[in-house]
């Protein structure tokens, strides 16, 4: 059986990076850069004051208590009218341009102002309280590289260098099809054995949280005709996700239709728990991941396989969940012969990162995901992991950009 890593690698080889498109900064949040950004400006653009205080020549203040003549007041946004005169100070505001000849600013709190004069209560150091031209960004510097996620800070940097438009990767369209004769929509009238399609909601949420656009295809009955009919509009998508119908049951037909003409099955089953039944291939020429139907399995497999694929399409270089090592709060074991992705609560206690399972771990217990913030990855046949020993955790709670 394929390992999680090998299965992911196999999927990623079939996933292209999408073409770029131009967007304005207002629409750039959560997008991935499709170009390197070189600044045509220096930031700051001129040497300026980091404090409200007095610009002066350090050589004029050899000792504490030196008094200088105040020769002008310089607000931010006003150009200095003349170079510094020996023995003079310029009363300067934060952000105002440093007058030529001045090599330090002493902050107001370290001075006493009298009529027309100022007493300097410390010996200033050269360059003190000056923000130099280009100290943040030099002209010609690459400030952001292709593949970077544009969050508020990156968008701020783009604004500061006057880039109103940027090339980003297109957002992938991801089709979602739930399957199962017992599965109904939230608003449908329920029969006794009906199961509401929570997977439709979790998957649409996961797709949006990964930066893609969901294309919801509804729920297909467990027959080929309905599956194919519901998949008819999926050819517009960049990726298809189905849930259910990939197990051993007589009516698990998603895998079966991957064998039909025009489709393909690349592999079936992955060495993991939950999430063993997973079919990867293509449907109507579009890469397709047949996720298991159980709600926890569907989400776990999404995080391991679909999310990296969606992020790769957007050109991200950071496609895996963040990993940390944390101490387990209680002894655990995994007698099974597959790695177990337990849902855990990761928290900081004192100096330690500590993790404990969320409670019952059945693959149908969706509240185990809702209560948790990470997967605790227990290696296969891990006989006994003592309390306080380390496990790898993959954090699934993160920021959301829509
Ligand atoms: P299957 O893989 O089709 O045998 O489904 C496995 C289990 O997951 C069954 O108990 C289904 O009822 C459940 N299931 C399948 N699809 C969904 C769905 N869309 N929402 C919630 N549960 C589902
Ligand atoms: Mg089913």
């Amino acid at each position: 059986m394929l390992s999680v890593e090998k299965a992911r690698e196999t999927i990623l080889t079939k996933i292209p990076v999408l073409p770029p498109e131009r967007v304005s900064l207002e629409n750039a949040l959560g997008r991935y850069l499709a170009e390197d950004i070189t600044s045509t400006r220096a930031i700051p653009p001129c040497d300026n004051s980091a404090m409200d205080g007095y610009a002066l020549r350090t050589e004029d203040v050899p000792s504490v208590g030196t008094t200088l003549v105040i020769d002008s007041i310089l607000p931010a946004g006003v150009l200095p009218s003349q170079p510094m005169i020996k023995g003079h100070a310029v009363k300067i505001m934060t952000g105002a341009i440093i007058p030529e000849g001045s090599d330090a600013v002493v902050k107001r709190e370290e001075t006493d102002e009298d009529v027309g004069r100022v007493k300097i209560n410390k010996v200033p150091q050269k360059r003190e309280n000056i923000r130099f031209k280009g100290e943040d960004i030099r002209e010609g510097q690459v400030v952001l590289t292709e593949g970077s996620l544009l969050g508020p800070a990156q968008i701020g940097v783009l604004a500061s260098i006057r880039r109103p438009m940027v090339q980003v990767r297109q957002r992938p369209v991801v089709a979602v099809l739930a399957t199962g004769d017992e599965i109904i929509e939230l608003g449908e009238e329920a029969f006794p054995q009906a199961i509401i399609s929570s997977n439709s909601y979790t998957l649409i949420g996961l797709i949006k949280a990964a930066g893609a656009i969901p294309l919801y295809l509804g729920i297909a009955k467990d027959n080929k005709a309905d599956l194919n009919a519901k998949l008819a509009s999926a050819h517009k998508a960049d990726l298809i996700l189905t849930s259910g119908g990939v197990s051993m049951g007589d009516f698990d037909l998603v895998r079966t239709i991957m064998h039909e003409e025009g489709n393909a099955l690349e592999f079936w089953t992955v060495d993991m728990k939950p999430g063993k039944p997973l079919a990867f291939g293509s449907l109507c020429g579009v890469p397709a991941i047949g996720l298991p139907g159980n709600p926890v399995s569907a989400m776990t497999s999404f995080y391991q396989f679909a999310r990296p694929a969606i992020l790769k399409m957007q050109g991200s270089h950071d496609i895996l969940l963040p990993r940390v090592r944390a101490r387990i709060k209680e002894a655990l074991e995994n007698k099974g012969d597959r790695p177990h992705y337990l849902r855990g609560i990761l928290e900081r206690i004192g100096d330690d990162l500590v993790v404990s399972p969320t409670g019952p771990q059945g693959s149908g217990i969706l509240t185990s995901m809702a209560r948790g913030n990470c997967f605790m990855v227990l290696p296969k046949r891990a006989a006994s992991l003592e309390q306080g020993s380390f496990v790898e955790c993959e954090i699934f709670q993160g920021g959301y950009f829509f």
Side-chain angles (χ1 to χ4, degrees):
M1 211 176 343
L2 281 183
S3 66
V4 169
E5 293 72 24
K6 190 73 199 151
R8 187 160 50 224
E9 211 181 293
T10 307
I11 292 172
L12 291 175
T13 58
K14 302 280 179 181
I15 299 292
V17 177
L18 296 186
E21 63 182 353
R22 258 160 73 83
V23 296
S24 66
L25 282 198
E26 287 77 8
N27 294 313
L29 187 68
R31 307 299 295 271
Y32 290 84
L33 271 180
E35 58 176 334
D36 287 344
I37 302 287
T38 303
S39 179
T40 54
R41 318 180 77 214
I43 307 290
C46 308
D47 297 353
N48 69 88
S49 179
M51 289 287 169
D52 295 319
Y54 292 88
L56 43 73
R57 298 160 14 120
T58 49
E59 65 188 65
D60 291 347
V61 186
S63 56
V64 169
T66 304
T67 297
L68 302 172
V69 175
I70 303 173
D71 70 10
S72 59
I73 297 177
L74 195 53
V78 173
L79 280 175
S81 55
Q82 60 182 56
M84 291 295 297
I85 299 167
K86 185 173 162 38
H88 286 211
V90 168
K91 190 174 185 183
I92 194 166
M93 310 300 143
T94 303
I97 292 177
I98 303 292
E100 198 188 316
S102 165
D103 59 2
V105 171
V106 172
K107 56 182 171 185
R108 217 154 169 171
E109 297 88 320
E110 292 167 345
T111 65
D112 288 308
E113 192 181 322
D114 207 347
V115 195
R117 300 184 72 80
V118 61
K119 182 153 74 86
I120 309 296
N121 297 329
K122 66 165 284 190
V123 177
Q125 300 294 309
K126 274 196 164 70
R127 303 170 72 88
E128 185 174 322
N129 295 323
I130 296 178
R131 301 187 291 211
F132 288 93
K133 176 178 178 178
E135 72 174 21
D136 183 3
I137 298 170
R138 282 170 286 106
E139 198 181 316
Q141 185 184 335
V142 175
V143 277
L144 294 168
T145 51
E146 180 271 324
S148 303
L149 175 60
L150 297 178
Q154 291 74 17
I155 290 173
V157 167
L158 290 166
S160 74
I161 64 166
R162 268 205 173 162
R163 275 293 300 253
M165 304 287 291
V166 280
Q167 296 271 2
V168 296
R169 292 287 156 197
Q170 289 176 12
R171 287 186 189 278
V173 173
V174 181
V176 176
L177 178 67
T179 73
D181 287 346
E182 79 284 30
I183 308 299
I184 61 165
E185 294 290 1
L186 173 63
E188 267 181 87
E189 199 175 326
F191 43 92
Q193 70 280 31
I195 300 290
I196 292 157
S197 186
S198 58
N199 289 353
S200 302
Y201 288 82
T202 54
L203 292 174
I204 287 171
L206 288 164
I207 289 165
K208 287 184 180 172
I213 301 164
L215 171 66
Y216 185 54
L217 305 178
I219 303 166
K221 296 282 177 214
D222 288 320
N223 63 70
K224 286 201 215 170
D226 200 33
L227 280 168
N228 282 320
K230 294 270 165 35
L231 284 168
S233 48
H235 62 89
K236 292 181 262 180
D238 299 295
L239 176 69
I240 299 171
L241 301 180
T242 60
S243 91
V246 285
S247 229
M248 297 292 283
D250 290 352
F251 303 99
D252 287 336
L253 298 171
V254 170
R255 190 163 47 99
T256 312
I257 65 162
M258 282 188 176
H259 285 298
E260 289 181 352
E261 203 179 319
N263 300 336
L265 177 71
E266 298 285 339
F267 68 76
W268 178 55
T269 69
V270 180
D271 191 21
M272 65 187 288
K273 180 186 172 179
K276 179 177 162 192
L278 182 112
F280 174 67
S282 67
L283 293 167
C284 37
V286 178
I289 304 176
L291 298 167
N294 276 305
V296 176
S297 316
M299 289 193 79
T300 307
S301 301
F302 179 96
Y303 278 118
Q304 295 307 321
F305 308 111
R307 182 176 177 273
I310 291 170
L311 295 179
K312 180 180 173 184
M313 283 191 269
Q314 293 173 87
S316 171
H317 304 308
D318 186 17
I319 62 175
L320 300 182
L321 293 174
R323 272 184 166 238
V324 294
R325 268 156 49 88
R327 292 184 186 278
I328 46 176
K329 245 182 175 175
E330 57 190 77
L332 290 171
E333 59 178 15
N334 177 16
K335 288 199 185 122
D337 58 1
R338 287 177 278 150
H340 195 173
Y341 287 71
L342 290 176
R343 277 71 66 209
I345 298 167
L346 180 69
E347 59 193 326
R348 185 175 157 155
I349 299 181
D351 287 338
D352 283 332
L353 280 177
V354 173
V355 68
S356 50
T358 51
Q361 294 285 328
S363 60
I365 298 183
L366 187 53
T367 51
S368 71
M369 290 289 310
R371 273 195 288 270
N373 56 7
C374 72
F375 294 111
M376 308 167 62
V377 189
L378 301 194
K380 61 177 89 172
R381 290 184 286 274
S384 63
L385 297 163
E386 280 169 33
Q387 182 195 354
S389 59
F390 283 106
V391 292
E392 286 285 322
C393 297
E394 298 184 353
I395 299 167
F396 57 66
Q397 259 189 357
Y400 298 107
F401 295 135
F402 300 132

